[in-house]
C-alpha cells in the first residue's frame, strides 16, 4: 500500500488537475459507470460536529474508495484543524488496498473544482468581481477555483471577524494571487458589487439578503451541509433562474436552505434546473442570458473524492512519491 501525506499531495496535485478529473468523473457518473451509495453521517451535537463515511466505486476503472472525514468546528481553539480526513483506495479486481492518503486538502480542492466547473458554465464571461462570505479553510480553494475560469479583477472578503478576512487575503498574496483584495464589513455592500458570490460558512442562518443580488450574479454555496444549516435565504432561491446541484440525492437530504424552502411550500425540488453533470456533458445549457441569477449548491459526494484520489495515486506512482508499506 502507498501512503501519501498532505505535503506530498500538495506538491503533486493542483486545482487544474482536480478540475480535469472531476469533469471526467461527472461524465462517467452520467454514463452509469459510478456506484455511489449514500454517505453515512454521525453527528455529535454537543460539539456541533460530524463524522462522514463516504464510499464509491469506478465500475470501469476497477477502483473503489472510501473517505472518512471529521468536522469539528471547536478544534481551532485547541490548535487543531476543523476538518480532518483520510481516503482509502482499493483495487476492485482483487480487493487489495492500494493507497491511503490524507483528505483535508483534497476535500477542499475537489469542492473548489466543482465550483470552478459550475462557474465556468454559469457565471457571466465578463465577471470581474468575486465576493467571498466566510474566509475559513474551505474558502481558499473556492477562490482558486474561480480564478482558474474567470478573469477576476477584484476580490471582496467578508467575515464576522475582519482580522481573519485580512489574514485570508494575505494568504492569497503569499500563494501568488496578485489580484487586489479588500475586507468589507458591510455584507450588503459586498453582495451588491458581486458578479460571483462564494459562500463558505457553516451558518444556521442566511448570511446575506437575496434582495441585494444584482441581475446576472452567480452564486456558489458550499458551506452548509446539514438540513439545519442555511447560508442562503428563501428570496435567493426564489430569485434564482437556475439552481444546480452537484449531486441531487445529496442536496435533497442535506442542503438546508433548499430543504427549508421545500418544506415551506413555496418551492419544490422539482424546480431544480439540473445536476452539474448535466451541464458537464452538455445535456443542459449553462447560462443563457446576462440577466440570469444562477445558484450552484454543493454538499459533496464520494465519487468526487474518488476522482481526485485516483488522480493523486496515478501521479504518486509515476513520480515515485509516497511511502510503500506492506499490509
Amino acid at each position: 500500500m502507498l501512503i501519501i501525506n498532505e505535503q506530498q499531495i500538495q506538491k503533486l496535485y493542483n486545482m487544474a488537475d482536480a478540475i480535469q478529473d472531476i469533469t471526467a468523473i461527472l461524465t462517467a457518473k452520467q454514463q452509469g459507470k459510478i456506484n455511489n451509495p449514500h454517505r453515512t453521517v454521525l453527528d455529535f451535537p454537543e460539539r456541533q460536529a460530524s463524522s462522514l463515511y463516504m464510499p464509491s466505486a469506478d465500475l470501469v476503472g476497477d477502483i473503489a474508495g472510501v473517505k472518512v472525514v471529521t468536522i469539528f468546528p471547536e478544534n481551532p481553539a485547541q490548535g487543531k484543524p476543523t476538518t480532518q480526513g483520510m481516503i482509502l483506495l482499493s483495487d476492485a479486481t482483487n480487493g487489495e488496498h492500494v493507497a491511503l492518503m490524507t483528505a483535508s486538502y483534497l476535500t477542499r480542492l475537489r469542492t473548489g473544482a466543482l465550483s470552478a466547473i459550475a462557474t465556468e458554465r454559469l457565471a457571466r464571461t465578463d465577471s470581474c468581481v468575486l465576493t467571498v462570505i466566510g474566509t475559513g479553510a474551505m474558502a481558499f480553494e473556492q477562490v482558486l477555483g474561480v480564478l482558474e475560469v474567470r478573469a477576476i479583477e477584484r476580490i471582496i472578503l467578508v467575515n464576522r471577524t475582519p482580522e481573519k478576512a485580512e489574514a485570508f487575503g494575505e494568504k492569497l498574496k503569499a500563494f501568488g494571487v496578485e489580484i487586489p483584495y479588500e475586507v468589507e464589513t458591510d455584507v450588503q455592500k459586498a453582495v451588491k458589487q458581486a458578479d460571483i458570490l462564494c459562500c463558505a460558512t457553516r451558518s444556521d442562518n442566511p448570511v446575506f439578503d437575496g434582495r441585494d443580488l444584482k441581475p446576472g450574479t452567480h452564486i456558489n454555496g458550499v458551506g452548509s451541509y446539514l438540513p439545519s444549516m442555511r447560508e442562503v435565504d428563501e428570496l435567493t432561491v426564489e430569485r434564482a433562474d437556475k439552481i444546480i446541484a452537484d449531486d441531487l440525492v445529496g442536496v435533497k437530504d442535506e442542503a438546508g436552505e433548499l430543504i427549508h424552502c421545500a418544506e415551506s411550500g413555496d418551492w419544490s425540488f422539482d424546480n431544480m434546473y439540473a445536476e452539474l453533470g448535466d451541464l458537464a456533458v452538455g445535456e443542459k445549457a449553462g447560462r443563457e442570458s446576462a440577466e440570469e441569477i444562477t445558484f450552484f449548491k454543493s454538499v459533496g459526494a464520494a465519487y468526487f473524492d474518488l476522482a481526485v484520489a485516483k488522480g493523486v495515486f496515478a501521479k504518486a506512482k509515476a513520480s515515485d512519491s509516497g511511502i510503500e508499506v506492506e499490509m
Side-chain angles (χ1 to χ4, degrees):
M1 175 188 283
L2 196 61
I3 307 295
I4 314 168
N5 67 29
E6 197 89 334
Q7 292 73 28
Q8 292 164 334
I9 294 171
Q10 290 179 345
K11 288 179 181 178
L12 285 171
Y13 198 78
N14 60 28
M15 181 60 72
D17 296 321
I19 291 171
Q20 176 178 304
D21 290 339
I22 292 288
T23 301
I25 211 159
L26 284 168
T27 301
K29 180 68 161 51
Q30 291 295 108
Q31 296 170 346
K33 299 176 181 178
I34 302 297
N35 183 9
N36 191 71
H38 195 55
R39 68 192 184 192
T40 298
V41 180
L42 303 181
D43 294 324
F44 307 99
E46 70 279 7
R47 295 182 177 87
Q48 295 183 307
S50 304
S51 183
L52 287 66
Y53 300 82
M54 305 168 62
S56 64
D58 181 337
L59 304 178
V60 174
D62 288 326
I63 194 162
V66 61
K67 184 176 81 168
V68 179
V69 61
T70 56
I71 304 169
F72 279 65
E74 296 175 359
N75 272 6
Q78 306 170 39
K80 298 179 181 180
T82 298
T83 303
Q84 302 170 79
M86 301 294 292
I87 299 175
L88 175 67
L89 288 182
S90 304
D91 187 321
T93 64
N94 59 21
E96 179 185 1
H97 302 309
V98 295
L100 180 68
M101 64 190 75
T102 53
S104 295
Y105 166 69
L106 284 180
T107 298
R108 301 192 305 270
L109 193 70
R110 60 86 154 147
T111 307
L114 286 162
S115 290
I117 294 165
T119 300
E120 170 65 25
R121 289 157 176 77
L122 294 166
R124 297 191 332 271
T125 55
D126 63 349
S127 296
C128 60
V129 178
L130 168 63
T131 292
V132 182
I133 301 180
T135 56
M138 188 67 76
F140 194 77
E141 281 74 20
Q142 289 296 303
V143 173
L144 298 185
V146 171
L147 297 187
E148 282 285 329
V149 299
R150 287 294 181 268
I152 298 300
E153 298 175 3
R154 189 158 58 98
I155 301 172
I156 303 173
L157 304 174
V158 180
N159 193 280
R160 289 181 300 178
T161 307
E163 292 79 11
K164 290 184 178 179
E166 184 66 40
F168 183 91
E170 290 303 305
K171 182 181 176 182
L172 287 172
K173 285 177 62 177
F175 190 78
V177 175
E178 298 179 354
I179 299 164
Y181 75 87
E182 59 195 75
V183 174
E184 180 58 69
T185 57
D186 186 334
V187 177
Q188 183 181 54
K189 183 178 177 182
V191 172
K192 284 184 173 181
Q193 296 177 77
D195 297 314
I196 300 169
L197 176 62
C198 288
C199 297
T201 77
R202 296 185 179 91
S203 179
D204 290 334
N205 299 297
V207 295
F208 68 92
D209 189 328
R211 290 175 295 184
D212 296 327
L213 294 166
K214 66 182 181 183
T217 302
H218 171 64
I219 307 151
N220 294 315
V222 305
S224 57
Y225 58 91
L226 294 174
S228 60
M229 295 177 171
R230 291 171 58 202
E231 287 187 298
V232 169
D233 66 5
E234 291 181 67
L235 183 57
T236 297
V237 174
E238 292 169 4
R239 290 192 65 192
D241 297 283
K242 290 175 179 172
I243 301 177
I244 293 86
D246 61 345
D247 181 82
L248 186 56
V249 172
V251 163
K252 283 183 174 180
D253 286 344
E254 298 162 4
E257 46 270 283
L258 297 180
I259 292 170
H260 175 82
C261 288
E263 290 177 347
S264 72
D266 296 328
W267 183 86
S268 165
F269 279 102
D270 291 339
N271 299 125
M272 294 288 298
Y273 175 68
E275 283 187 307
L276 187 58
D278 297 322
L279 275 61
V281 301
E283 291 180 2
K284 287 286 189 75
R287 175 170 290 273
E288 295 179 283
S289 79
E291 301 296 303
E292 284 182 322
I293 291 175
T294 55
F295 175 28
F296 171 61
K297 180 58 195 174
S298 176
V299 295
Y303 60 100
F304 305 138
D305 300 295
L306 179 63
V308 294
K310 283 173 52 184
V312 169
F313 181 48
K315 286 204 163 195
K317 288 196 298 181
S319 61
D320 199 25
S321 300
I323 301 172
E324 191 75 42
V325 298
E326 293 291 335
M327 297 299 292

